[in-house]
Amino acid sequence: MSHAKHPRTLKLPREENGLATSKPAVRRVQELLPAFLEDTVVEAEANGLVVALDGGVETTVAAAMAVDAVGAERVTGLVVPVQLSEEAPARTAEAVASMLEIEHHRLQLQPVLAAFQSVVGETGQPTDDLVAIRNASERLRMACTYYVANTTGKLVVGTVNRTERLLGSVAKYGENGVDVDLFGDLYRTELRSVAEDMEVPSDIMDRSTTRFDYADRSDAEELGIEPTTLDSLLHFAADRQLSAAETADRVGVDPSVVRRTVRWCSQTRHKRHTPPKPSMAN
């Protein structure tokens, strides 16, 4: 494998809707992201990569790109279900790992979560708060993923896409607490175009976009916007910094929809940035 430096800023050809979904753009992504992973492993003098698999599009593409980057023998897949309802996606995740011929392990976290709830229940606080449990589950998953990465000298590959990142559709210090933010600049629609070109199986492509089906509704459904339209809106409003009126005109929605989405992003800003700290500079 070549260890030549590759650019870390992706300049992709974009469609009229602002998204990079054309064949040239998709192929460019497939060239650059594995090269980026390879360079990151070399720079860190790491032994390889760890990917937490959930049977969804993002983790499947990430695992395939990790294999392209460093070889199957240097990639570890972890399947880390918490709830019984996650059995079906967990089996899909194991099938992905087998297809890619990577070492993989299933870690069942239901007993760990139950012990966690028992301990925190001593505080007198409820142990069945759905949001708190969802966040705790994701942090437990990441703790296990990092334990494996630490003991094997590997790096943890993040699988959160830009749509999720901007909307804050992740647990703080959970899915986004990684070594490599592989899809941080790729919107969900763009990533799906990459997955389609890579011939990701239809049962994975058809899965809900919510992670392990914790939420009854996706972020696009909550906002009342079609998913591709949402990604276009985010591109023009967040990346291009266009006004609500200009963005609305570009994507064909009412300006109030743009303002509501921008407000949503603003309210979840704390999930994307380091904690505030007092300045002690002289």
Side-chain angles (χ1 to χ4, degrees):
M1 291 182 292
S2 169
H3 300 320
K5 280 288 185 179
H6 294 273
R8 298 203 174 195
T9 300
L10 303 184
K11 297 295 184 182
L12 300 175
R14 296 188 172 275
E15 306 297 298
E16 187 176 346
N17 65 1
L19 302 178
T21 56
S22 66
K23 185 69 72 174
V26 165
R27 291 296 167 84
R28 186 70 173 138
V29 168
Q30 291 181 63
E31 293 172 1
L32 291 176
L33 293 192
F36 172 74
L37 285 176
E38 181 187 0
D39 286 346
T40 303
V41 168
V42 171
E43 289 176 12
E45 298 183 351
N47 294 327
L49 300 163
V50 179
V51 182
L53 298 166
D54 64 4
V57 172
E58 288 84 0
T59 65
T60 299
V61 173
M65 288 186 169
V67 169
D68 287 345
V70 299
E73 70 282 357
R74 299 178 67 193
V75 177
T76 300
L78 294 181
V79 182
V80 197
V82 177
Q83 307 294 345
L84 292 178
S85 61
E86 298 169 9
E87 178 60 26
R91 287 199 300 269
T92 301
E94 289 175 321
V96 168
S98 296
M99 178 181 65
L100 294 172
E101 299 182 338
I102 61 174
E103 176 188 4
H104 61 283
H105 308 277
R106 183 191 284 221
L107 310 178
Q108 178 54 256
L109 288 194
Q110 179 61 50
V112 179
L113 179 62
F116 174 84
Q117 289 173 290
S118 176
V119 171
V120 298
E122 297 296 323
T123 66
Q125 300 303 312
T127 61
D128 58 354
D129 183 289
L130 291 180
V131 174
I133 289 300
R134 189 263 182 190
N135 289 338
S137 297
E138 294 303 335
R139 291 166 188 149
L140 288 172
R141 268 194 248 273
M142 191 52 64
C144 292
T145 303
Y146 259 104
Y147 185 88
V148 172
N150 290 163
T151 56
T152 57
K154 295 179 179 178
L155 302 179
V156 176
V157 179
T159 61
V160 175
N161 61 53
R162 186 159 179 75
T163 307
E164 294 169 326
R165 186 171 184 271
L166 286 175
L167 294 175
S169 305
V170 295
K172 191 172 184 178
Y173 304 124
E175 305 99 312
N176 56 358
V178 296
D179 293 314
V180 188
D181 186 14
L182 186 61
F183 303 136
D185 281 342
L186 281 182
Y187 286 102
R188 182 182 292 134
T189 302
E190 297 170 335
L191 188 53
R192 287 185 67 84
S193 294
V194 173
E196 288 171 359
D197 193 74
M198 294 173 65
E199 299 183 349
V200 169
S202 59
D203 60 326
I204 294 175
M205 296 294 295
D206 294 341
R207 261 201 66 209
S208 167
T209 55
T210 56
R211 290 174 176 268
F212 273 116
D213 300 325
Y214 274 109
D216 294 328
R217 287 153 61 86
S218 68
D219 41 36
E221 289 171 331
E222 287 288 344
L223 288 164
I225 313 173
E226 190 272 331
T228 300
T229 302
L230 173 58
D231 287 345
S232 292
L233 186 160
L234 289 170
H235 170 73
F236 289 118
D239 300 338
R240 299 274 295 277
Q241 295 287 297
L242 300 186
S243 68
E246 290 174 310
T247 299
D249 185 60
R250 291 286 191 104
V251 302
V253 299
D254 190 271
S256 64
V257 175
V258 179
R259 288 192 291 270
R260 185 168 72 250
T261 305
V262 170
R263 185 163 57 250
W264 182 317
C265 293
S266 178
Q267 290 170 343
T268 60
R269 183 179 182 276
H270 64 97
K271 294 187 178 184
R272 298 185 294 277
H273 299 274
T274 55
K277 62 180 180 64
S279 175
M280 301 295 181
N282 293 327

